[in-house]
Amino acid sequence: MTMLRKASLTALAAGLLSGTPALSQDPSMTSPAATAPAGQDLSAYPLIAREALFGNPTRASAQISPDGAYLTWLAPRDGVLNIWLAPADDPDQARAITGSTDRPIRQYFWAPDGKSVLYVQDKGGDENFLLYGVNVETGAETTLTPFEDTRVQIIGASTTIKDAILVSLNNRDPRFHDVYRLDLGSGELTKLIENEGYAGFMADDNLDVRVALRPNQTGGMDVFKVEDNVIAPEPFSSTDMEDSLTTSPAGWPISAVRSAISRPARSRPIRSIISRPNGPPPIPRSRPRSISSMPNSKGNTVSSRAPMTIANGSSATIRWWRRAPPISTIATPEH
């Protein structure tokens, strides 16, 4: 905390205790002109409108439907952010496909089959986010996780399995999110893993859960291998407090080499990450893909959120990144 901030807080506290407005005792804190260079009139510079800083965006979070036929984005409808849809070749024909009136919609994504747009929303700010789907053709809206006092998390979607996604729900125990496969057509939820203490899961493009994450006593995260929905008893990789905010597994690239990639910025000796050289293709991370993390022309999935790399070879390899150039490359164990 700077000396100026300490002095300001001390003055404010003194004013509150004495029942007088402490800030008014120092004109320099209330009068912009008092802090201006000599001879400069700040009245010539109008204040930025609050709406420009804190108001709704005109348009945000643009996405393209899987078949390329539609564009979607978030934009105000009667002052509240909703999802808008338009033909890709005629954006001027946009229409709102959701009708939220009290809470802005901030997270949405296309269903893999392109038949619906999915979004998460809570009720009145209770932070119990549920998953909803809007049929693009009919406009019908469905609550895909119709539970009370429950928060949904999206584990992953697939580029090859179009009619299902993986989600996690804490409707059994509010402390833990169990893993489910959600059939987007019927709405059926099939439990895959009952969670007894893990913070999160990651899956590949076959919607097979591959990794479980759990906090450890050092303040970091332990990474567990998952096979046939059974979590290994011991972690194969761990981070500690120093790396906890900057290092985590990021997913599997859609390429011939089935290796996992990590986010930056690990600065100490590297550790291995799950690999499946001959297994099914993967998804990049445990959230729905956006435009910034779609497969490139070579089939590798990359993300603009963080620098990552895949080292090709006869066996799967992984490279850990930090703020400086990559420090090392390590072969990873087969699945």
Side-chain angles (χ1 to χ4, degrees):
M1 183 179 293
T2 65
M3 295 294 293
L4 178 59
R5 180 170 176 77
K6 288 182 178 178
S8 299
L9 291 176
T10 301
L12 178 59
L16 291 174
L17 290 174
S18 64
T20 60
L23 294 181
S24 65
Q25 297 172 6
D26 184 357
S28 67
M29 301 188 71
T30 57
S31 173
T35 62
Q40 184 175 0
D41 182 11
L42 291 184
S43 63
Y45 302 93
L47 293 176
I48 299 174
R50 183 177 299 177
E51 180 70 17
L53 296 175
F54 302 107
N56 286 324
T58 304
R59 292 181 181 178
S61 303
Q63 296 186 27
I64 304 173
S65 64
D67 60 3
Y70 294 100
L71 301 175
T72 48
W73 60 82
L74 297 176
R77 178 184 183 182
D78 297 328
V80 180
L81 285 181
N82 277 275
I83 303 171
W84 293 69
L85 177 140
D89 57 358
D90 192 2
D92 291 337
Q93 296 301 314
R95 58 185 174 88
I97 59 173
T98 58
S100 182
T101 58
D102 56 346
R103 298 280 292 170
I105 296 174
R106 299 192 181 276
Q107 303 177 57
Y108 82 95
F109 59 101
W110 278 90
D113 59 10
K115 295 180 180 180
S116 60
V117 176
L118 310 179
Y119 72 94
V120 293
Q121 181 74 305
D122 65 350
K123 300 176 182 179
D126 63 3
E127 298 189 1
N128 290 316
F129 291 92
L130 300 180
L131 180 64
Y132 302 86
V134 181
N135 186 285
V136 172
E137 295 298 326
T138 66
E141 181 170 303
T142 304
T143 305
L144 296 171
T145 54
F147 306 106
E148 295 295 329
D149 301 322
T150 298
R151 175 183 287 194
V152 65
Q153 295 177 350
I154 310 301
I155 295 177
S158 171
T159 60
T160 55
I161 300 173
K162 305 291 188 179
D163 59 353
I165 62 174
L166 292 187
V167 300
S168 62
L169 297 167
N170 63 341
N171 56 327
R172 176 187 60 87
D173 185 328
R175 299 173 300 170
F176 307 127
H177 282 75
D178 299 331
V179 180
Y180 291 85
R181 181 181 175 119
L182 170 62
D183 186 302
L184 296 173
S186 66
E188 180 182 2
L189 285 161
T190 303
K191 183 185 289 188
L192 303 180
I193 297 176
E194 186 166 298
N195 185 359
E196 295 297 343
Y198 295 89
F201 300 87
M202 300 176 65
D204 62 22
D205 202 59
N206 272 1
L207 299 184
D208 292 327
V209 180
R210 300 282 294 276
V211 161
L213 305 170
R214 186 173 68 188
N216 57 38
Q217 293 183 351
T218 68
M221 197 73 70
D222 290 336
V223 186
F224 296 81
K225 185 177 178 180
V226 180
E227 277 192 276
D228 298 325
N229 297 322
V230 177
I231 304 171
E234 299 295 331
F236 69 86
S237 182
S238 297
T239 60
D240 53 23
M241 176 70 78
E242 183 177 348
D243 295 325
S244 61
L245 296 180
T246 56
T247 303
S248 65
W252 285 261
I254 303 177
S255 65
V257 179
R258 311 300 184 208
S259 58
I261 52 182
S262 74
R263 301 194 187 285
R266 188 167 229 155
S267 57
R268 293 200 308 275
I270 54 178
R271 303 165 177 94
S272 61
I273 283 292
I274 259 185
S275 166
R276 190 173 185 177
N278 300 313
I283 64 172
R285 51 191 170 131
S286 58
R287 296 181 181 177
R289 280 179 309 231
S290 64
I291 294 174
S292 64
S293 61
M294 293 298 290
N296 62 20
S297 59
K298 295 183 179 180
N300 292 323
T301 300
V302 295
S303 172
S304 63
R305 293 169 59 95
M308 308 176 204
T309 187
I310 298 299
N312 292 319
S314 58
S315 63
T317 56
I318 178 174
R319 184 170 292 178
W320 288 100
W321 280 74
R322 57 176 178 173
R323 298 187 189 280
I327 56 176
S328 186
T329 301
I330 187 170
T332 55
E334 292 190 4
H335 186 69

